[in-house]
Amino acid sequence: MKYQVVIGLEVHAQLLTNSKIFCGCSTKFGAEPNSQTCPVCLGLPGALPVLNRKVVEYAIRAGLATSCSIAPRSIFARKNYFYPDLPKGYQISQFELPICLDGHLEIELEGETKRIGITRIHMEEDAGKLLHLDTMEAGEMSFVDLNRACTPLLEIVSEPDMRSPEEAIAYLKKLHQIVVYLGICDGNLEEGSFRCDANVSLMPVGAETFGTRAELKNINSFRFIKQAIEYEMERQADILDEGGKVIQETRLFDPDTGTTRSMRSKEEAHDYRYFPDPDLVPLVIGADWIEDIRQTLPELPDAKRSRYVGELALPEYDAEVLAASREIAEYFDACLAFYPQAKTVSNWVMGDLLRSLKEDNSNIADCPVTPRLLADMLQLIENGTISGKIAKTVFDEMYKTGKEPVRIVEEKGLVQVTDSSEIEKIIEDVLAKDPVQVEAYRSGKEKLFGFFVGQVMKASRGKANPGLVNEILSKKLKG
Amino acid sequence: MQLYELTIHELHAKLKTGEVSSVEATRSILDRIDAVEDKVHAFITITPEEAMQNAAAADKRIAAGEMDILTGIPVALKDIFLTSGIRTTSASRILGNFIPPYDATVVAKLRERGIVLIGKLNQDEFAMGSSTESSYFGVTRNPWNADHIPGGSSGGSAACIAARQATTTLGTDTGGSIRQPAAHCGCVGLKPTYGRVSRYGVIAYASSLDQVGPITRDVTDCAIMLGAIAGHDPKDSTSVELPVPDYTQTLANGVKGLRIGLPREYFIEGLDPEVKKAMDEAIATYKGLGAEFVEISLPHTDYAVATYYLIATAEASSNLARYDGVRFGYRNSDAKGLLDMYMLSRDEGFGAEVKRRIMIGTYALSSGYYDAYYLKAQKVRTLIMEDFTRAFGKVDLILTPVTPTPAFRIGEKTSDPLQMYLSDIFTIPVNLAGTCGMSIPAGFSSEGLPIGLQLIGSPFGEETLLRAAYAFEQNTLWHKRKAKI
């Protein structure tokens, strides 16, 4: 391709507060239409907004986690437009003085790290939802549900720093991981808790001036973002190839066809007539509050990964898998506190634990095997009470019942046999049963050693200490 | 003296001793309304049943010894205050059928204290006007002379007091809407400092300027009412967390040694000579009481009206966007499609003055014009505020006329909006500065129309304001004169 794509992203993240941004109504998803409303979020005459402190705290968290500066004074503004899902006829947002400015995050792609700038993060209220139905009685009808009206959103605006769809996806995934890690957004793309608009333009390779951009809306999965950008790159390239000009417009992505279509041109764009909302006083944030919030920030994925590799000497792959989700990382860290052997813990978490959870389609937070139980079991392996193989049986039982590993071992009689005379006896029995193979081994067929180990373990029902078995067996076979 | 003529404190004294009941006082008021309302048209909605129920409840409360100064007092409210279950229109067709599901904070405060709600008062549509002529529900007449306007936008509140159709009232003031009608109708009216009284449940005109205040028969009533409605409201982020004093306690402290400023920009050519004369007499009265006068300057006064008509209209254009016919209020039922519904409902639902102001405000906020109009107006507003801050470094109060002339004739200025806008020239700067101002009766024109005196206080200086007003009232008899109706 002779064009370079330039991509900037605007993400809307719905915040996980219990109540709305400017009133006390619940933000719970899926309630009876219009049941979670009051004069404020209905936009009734005389109603006034009061800012939810938690929303500000969450915005500061997002800002700190993306290296933004937090504005000591920021302003809410009204964005004026008419639409039936917008009861006041304006959306309360931030415009000239947003709460967070000038941050960045880092993405890794094919071993290379790239910094993507974050222009700003601001707080705003969501609109309600419209439902269009063709009814028997009255024909086509539109219904308004204002449960979602006034739920808090963060809008996170990137710089036009991305140069491929892959970079855009890496940025989005990173941002998604951060807001979920921070506990400020559930990150649910299908329910619209994490939505993305993309600004896409092309310029000749080597050029410095950006081309005219199109804004793509309605992209609600990581897969679609790639599709939408790739389609848009082709569309714009075709126009430029034919000597045409890309026009500045808003385009809607259609997930069914994987294409975008024009929604409105620059000329049709709304004049939102932003101005400071006189119903809300300027938001003044003290340095103390910012510091308090900084203290409570969790260790973020990048920091975790580099700690796992640097301090715990885990392989990159393990670090990546463990740090990908805050719950898994916290589970790992908790387990490590009881049993400080990073690679062993990592193997069990990434192996049996995550596999079992995946088979069950269940969440690590609900896992009956607590970090302490897993650590106890690893201790049993280390002190020789059970073998690694028996441990798998113990783990499965713990996963089913949540019982202490010691109890499982006792109840099921799974204690490892470490008494050498007992093992000697088993070995003698095995060898006595199969003199032909013993003879074969002794005449040079040393590969048979493994066969005998297997027979011995089988005879001991897996409980014989493998080290002792090896030692005694090789002695006995030598005669 | 009829029961309907009494002030709050006079009626309270009689209720307290059991000499009269609230039911009797309320009956007297309702009869008075029956007798004069045709001539005045102060009300949009009268609520006699609600009133009688409230009165009966108040009498029980009084009998139980749980009495408050406002218990059993008949109150009428400008139709801009949301009253749960009682139609609230802001004098607009677009809210002609709107029954609110909640009470404004000030209404809830008064109800808790056991007032009797008499009804809802006429005003200019969405408080946009200086004459109460823009109401969808018809013109209110000045009780002193039915050919004249009562002032506005709280014209119904002032006329109601002058015609003795309620013991006391509340209004709102965005650019003079309490003080100007109070002056035109010979009442006492106070616009508190911005943030002193909650705006929650008050239908917004211009949010950064709107403030709730009383229109009353005398200064004592005004102090009682301000005390009842003032204070921080967690539902209004712009209301201020400052303790509310008992304003009645300091009323009699006098004005000796008080320094009063006379802004030279307010005593200009074009000021009606009878108004000028009333001011001179008032100055002499205050001098006699020991106050000192200082000439001061408020140099940006000339820009106040222009500044106001940019800021107020810009805010209004956004505040009134919610009247879209979707969920409440008037909707044109023949409209085809969404855009049609918006345009027809708003075109038919709003009156001419409201539409004019929405257009001006929309223009002032438009991209490409924002800096030249809205932003510049905000900068001038800051200069006007600084004028007052500087002035209050030198004086305790400022004395000015409320209006350049007494009440004009009905219809006189309806065809010339600019002339109408200029009639608020002395009251508008106070709203822009966010401070408090008061109108008290200070004389009559040769035609027998009331003339008002404006006192302007420093921010949250309502105690000083009321004290000076009380001293004047005790030494004049203007407030005792009654409109013959």
Side-chain angles (χ1 to χ4, degrees):
Chain A
M1 200 175 190
K2 55 183 186 268
Y3 302 112
Q4 172 62 58
V5 67
V6 175
I7 305 163
L9 297 173
E10 287 172 22
V11 168
H12 285 91
Q14 188 182 318
L15 295 179
L16 272 175
T17 53
N18 295 324
S19 57
K20 296 183 176 182
I21 180 168
F22 296 121
C23 64
C25 291
S26 167
T27 53
K28 243 193 203 103
F29 186 78
E32 182 79 4
N34 297 306
S35 62
Q36 293 174 168
T37 56
C38 71
V40 176
C41 55
L42 293 176
L44 290 187
L48 296 171
V50 176
L51 181 59
N52 180 342
R53 186 181 166 89
K54 203 82 192 169
V55 172
V56 181
E57 185 192 318
Y58 283 11
I60 296 172
R61 273 199 221 176
L64 292 175
T66 51
S67 310
C68 286
S69 58
I70 310 298
R73 182 172 174 279
S74 72
I75 300 274
F76 283 93
R78 294 186 184 176
K79 179 179 181 180
N80 295 285
Y81 65 96
F82 285 95
Y83 207 63
D85 65 6
L86 190 70
K88 296 189 294 296
Y90 58 83
Q91 177 195 29
I92 305 178
S93 179
Q94 294 195 295
F95 186 57
E96 277 188 336
L97 294 171
I99 183 164
C100 309
L101 278 169
D102 201 16
H104 59 83
L105 51 77
E106 273 161 4
I107 58 170
E108 291 95 42
L109 222 60
E110 289 161 7
E112 301 240 339
T113 302
K114 181 173 176 181
R115 176 175 284 199
I116 307 294
I118 289 176
T119 317
R120 56 185 278 154
I121 301 176
H122 71 247
M123 300 169 278
E124 62 185 26
E125 59 179 341
D126 207 345
K129 274 184 188 160
L130 295 184
L131 184 67
H132 305 287
L133 286 181
D134 203 349
T135 60
M136 293 279 278
E137 319 84 67
E140 281 183 56
M141 301 270 282
S142 295
F143 297 88
V144 185
D145 176 8
L146 294 176
N147 280 351
R148 200 184 63 183
C150 215
T151 52
L153 300 176
L154 284 189
E155 182 172 329
I156 304 159
V157 182
S158 86
E159 290 287 304
D161 284 350
M162 287 151 277
R163 295 290 178 270
S164 69
E166 289 72 25
E167 287 186 5
I169 291 174
Y171 167 83
L172 271 187
K173 286 193 168 164
K174 192 53 154 302
L175 190 60
H176 183 266
Q177 198 176 52
I178 289 173
V179 294
V180 173
Y181 242 83
L182 292 172
I184 63 174
C185 173
D186 69 13
N188 190 324
L189 284 91
E190 291 79 45
E191 283 178 14
S193 309
F194 191 86
R195 319 195 273 266
C196 171
D197 301 338
N199 287 306
V200 179
S201 67
L202 295 184
M203 61 182 178
V205 170
E208 283 181 5
T209 314
F210 295 165
T212 306
R213 67 173 191 270
E215 186 184 2
L216 312 182
K217 286 198 174 285
N218 191 35
I219 314 173
N220 58 4
S221 86
F222 293 127
R223 187 162 57 87
F224 292 158
I225 188 90
K226 188 166 153 68
Q227 259 185 28
I229 293 171
E230 281 173 352
Y231 174 83
E232 192 56 25
M233 287 164 67
E234 277 176 40
R235 188 188 72 85
Q236 293 186 16
D238 288 349
I239 293 172
L240 296 173
D241 282 345
E242 286 165 15
K245 274 188 177 167
V246 174
I247 56 164
Q248 190 177 330
E249 61 181 347
T250 304
R251 298 181 68 85
L252 202 65
F253 176 68
D254 180 350
D256 294 334
T257 59
T259 61
T260 64
R261 64 185 155 80
S262 182
M263 219 171 111
R264 56 174 178 259
S265 70
K266 190 185 173 189
E267 285 71 33
E268 295 164 303
H270 294 296
D271 178 357
Y272 290 120
R273 292 176 284 120
Y274 280 101
F275 75 106
D277 190 335
D279 288 332
L280 289 160
V281 292
L283 173 62
V284 176
I285 298 169
D288 291 0
W289 195 25
I290 298 174
E291 252 347 277
D292 287 351
I293 294 171
R294 198 193 297 278
Q295 296 307 321
T296 64
L297 283 187
E299 187 181 31
L300 290 169
D302 282 355
K304 273 206 194 290
R305 248 195 328 271
S306 61
R307 178 166 63 86
Y308 290 168
V309 174
E311 286 178 29
L312 304 180
L314 287 179
E316 290 275 357
Y317 176 76
D318 289 36
E320 182 75 37
V321 172
L322 294 172
S325 129
R326 181 172 167 183
E327 280 80 19
I328 294 171
E330 283 178 348
Y331 185 99
F332 172 76
D333 288 341
C335 194
L336 208 61
F338 297 115
Y339 187 80
Q341 310 251 8
K343 184 57 186 157
T344 310
V345 175
S346 167
N347 287 345
W348 279 89
V349 171
M350 287 171 45
D352 293 64
L353 183 77
L354 286 184
R355 194 180 318 120
S356 303
L357 289 171
K358 201 176 170 197
E359 278 166 15
D360 268 18
N361 199 11
S362 113
N363 201 313
I364 198 161
D366 310 321
C367 181
V369 184
T370 62
R372 193 184 58 79
L373 289 182
L374 182 60
D376 286 354
M377 189 195 80
L378 298 178
Q379 198 64 53
L380 291 181
I381 301 174
E382 189 183 302
N383 67 23
T385 309
I386 54 171
S387 66
K389 193 161 179 236
I390 287 291
K392 298 206 178 273
T393 312
V394 175
F395 180 88
D396 288 345
E397 191 61 21
M398 280 201 299
Y399 189 81
K400 270 184 231 145
T401 62
K403 279 186 188 166
E404 298 270 340
V406 180
R407 262 186 67 199
I408 295 169
V409 169
E410 273 171 17
E411 283 174 10
K412 301 220 157 196
L414 295 174
V415 178
Q416 184 165 241
V417 179
T418 48
D419 177 343
S420 51
S421 62
E422 202 174 321
I423 292 173
E424 217 174 304
K425 196 172 163 294
I426 297 168
I427 291 176
E428 279 165 6
D429 286 353
V430 167
L431 298 186
K433 266 188 209 157
D434 213 340
V436 181
Q437 298 284 29
V438 173
E439 205 43 51
Y441 178 86
R442 284 180 178 153
S443 52
K445 235 182 154 186
E446 289 190 4
K447 268 196 240 162
L448 282 168
F449 189 79
F451 163 77
F452 288 116
V453 172
Q455 291 299 307
V456 173
M457 292 310 282
K458 199 174 160 191
S460 75
R461 285 187 292 135
K463 292 189 288 183
N465 179 306
L468 283 173
V469 171
N470 277 343
E471 192 186 317
I472 298 169
L473 187 63
S474 59
K475 248 190 254 164
K476 293 270 170 195
L477 280 172
K478 276 178 191 154
Chain B
M1 190 96 129
Q2 300 290 326
L3 288 179
Y4 62 76
E5 293 178 309
L6 300 178
T7 63
I8 298 172
H9 52 99
E10 287 162 355
L11 179 56
H12 172 69
K14 290 185 193 296
L15 290 169
K16 201 174 176 183
T17 58
E19 184 187 333
V20 296
S21 68
S22 176
V23 165
E24 287 168 308
T26 302
R27 176 52 46 216
S28 167
I29 289 283
L30 291 172
D31 289 347
R32 173 69 178 172
I33 292 172
D34 276 348
V36 302
E37 175 62 3
D38 275 357
K39 294 173 204 134
V40 182
H41 187 44
F43 287 85
I44 291 176
T45 305
I46 303 167
T47 54
E49 283 169 23
E50 161 104 9
M52 293 313 291
Q53 281 167 13
N54 288 172
D59 282 335
K60 268 194 199 146
R61 217 166 134 168
I62 294 166
E66 292 159 8
M67 194 183 188
D68 179 272
I69 182 104
L70 289 176
T71 310
I73 303 293
V75 180
L77 300 168
K78 186 177 184 179
D79 208 20
I80 205 164
F81 299 102
L82 264 61
T83 42
S84 181
I86 298 169
R87 182 175 74 146
T88 302
T89 67
S90 211
S92 181
R93 182 184 189 192
I94 213 155
L95 285 175
N97 59 5
F98 178 63
I99 303 202
Y102 74 102
D103 273 335
T105 295
V106 289
V107 175
K109 281 187 168 195
L110 293 180
R111 282 199 203 261
E112 269 166 38
R113 301 182 67 164
I115 61 139
V116 174
L117 182 62
I118 293 293
K120 305 295 292 293
L121 296 161
N122 202 11
Q123 57 172 86
D124 281 295
E125 184 180 1
F126 284 105
M128 297 178 186
S130 313
S131 65
T132 314
E133 290 169 296
S134 73
S135 169
Y136 176 66
F137 298 92
V139 179
T140 296
R141 293 178 181 274
N142 191 319
W144 294 91
N145 184 331
D147 294 334
H148 289 251
I149 55 118
S153 67
S154 310
S157 304
C160 168
I161 289 298
R164 281 93 73 202
Q165 294 176 283
T167 307
T168 199
T169 65
L170 286 185
T172 60
D173 190 317
T174 307
S177 282
I178 286 174
R179 290 158 289 159
Q180 186 255 23
H184 284 345
C185 292
C187 322
V188 174
L190 190 156
K191 183 208 95 76
T193 308
Y194 187 80
R196 179 75 286 190
V197 181
S198 168
R199 294 183 296 114
Y200 188 77
V202 183
I203 296 178
Y205 159 24
S207 314
S208 75
L209 300 160
D210 294 344
Q211 201 44 206
V212 177
I215 296 182
T216 60
R217 289 202 200 305
D218 69 6
V219 175
T220 306
D221 277 8
C222 194
I224 292 167
M225 287 299 281
L226 179 63
I229 60 173
H232 174 66
D233 178 5
K235 291 183 187 146
D236 176 359
S237 314
T238 64
S239 71
V240 175
E241 286 192 66
L242 271 182
V244 180
D246 180 349
Y247 294 105
T248 59
Q249 287 300 306
T250 45
L251 282 180
N253 287 4
V255 294
K256 203 169 172 67
L258 214 62
R259 291 168 68 83
I260 303 179
L262 296 172
R264 76 174 73 95
E265 293 80 4
Y266 285 57
F267 293 89
I268 42 163
E269 303 256 331
L271 185 63
D272 183 284
E274 291 183 321
V275 173
K276 173 80 171 62
K277 185 166 160 277
M279 294 306 109
D280 290 342
E281 285 171 11
I283 292 166
T285 303
Y286 272 120
K287 277 185 179 159
L289 293 169
E292 289 172 44
F293 281 84
V294 185
E295 195 187 79
I296 56 163
S297 174
L298 299 167
H300 298 93
T301 301
D302 268 359
Y303 305 105
V305 173
T307 302
Y308 171 84
Y309 277 96
L310 288 168
I311 292 172
T313 57
E315 291 178 5
S317 73
S318 174
N319 282 336
L320 271 58
R322 70 189 62 196
Y323 309 108
D324 57 5
V326 174
R327 291 195 52 261
F328 55 81
Y330 176 78
R331 181 199 289 185
N332 176 299
S333 48
D334 302 325
K336 307 261 181 290
L338 184 62
L339 190 62
D340 216 26
M341 181 185 88
Y342 283 149
M343 298 210 295
L344 290 172
S345 302
R346 287 170 67 81
D347 184 35
E348 293 164 9
F350 290 135
E353 182 60 27
V354 171
K355 282 187 270 192
R356 179 181 296 127
R357 295 196 193 190
I358 291 174
M359 299 268 283
I360 296 172
T362 303
Y363 187 77
L365 290 175
S366 300
S367 92
Y369 297 97
Y370 180 89
D371 289 1
Y373 295 117
Y374 182 78
L375 198 63
K376 183 168 267 178
Q378 287 294 3
K379 288 177 182 165
V380 178
R381 183 178 185 175
T382 304
L383 295 175
I384 290 169
M385 269 183 207
E386 287 167 1
D387 280 357
F388 279 93
T389 308
R390 251 191 312 274
F392 286 118
K394 294 184 201 130
V395 298
D396 303 302
L397 283 178
I398 296 169
L399 184 151
T400 77
V402 182
T403 56
T405 64
F408 46 88
R409 286 175 178 275
I410 289 172
E412 191 181 324
K413 295 188 180 179
T414 40
S415 58
D416 190 351
L418 268 185
Q419 275 308 306
M420 183 84 90
Y421 295 172
L422 285 169
S423 67
D424 294 330
I425 188 163
F426 299 144
T427 48
I428 279 174
V430 177
N431 300 77
L432 290 171
T435 192
C436 54
M438 201 169 167
S439 171
I440 49 175
F444 287 85
S445 71
S446 48
E447 280 186 273
L449 289 166
I451 292 171
L453 163 73
Q454 175 170 240
L455 296 172
I456 303 169
S458 60
F460 301 99
E462 282 85 354
E463 268 183 300
T464 310
L465 206 58
L466 285 159
R467 165 157 68 100
Y470 185 79
F472 186 79
E473 187 183 80
Q474 294 304 301
N475 288 278
T476 55
L477 291 168
W478 306 120
H479 70 289
K480 294 281 184 198
R481 207 184 280 191
K482 291 196 171 87
K484 292 184 183 64
I485 186 162

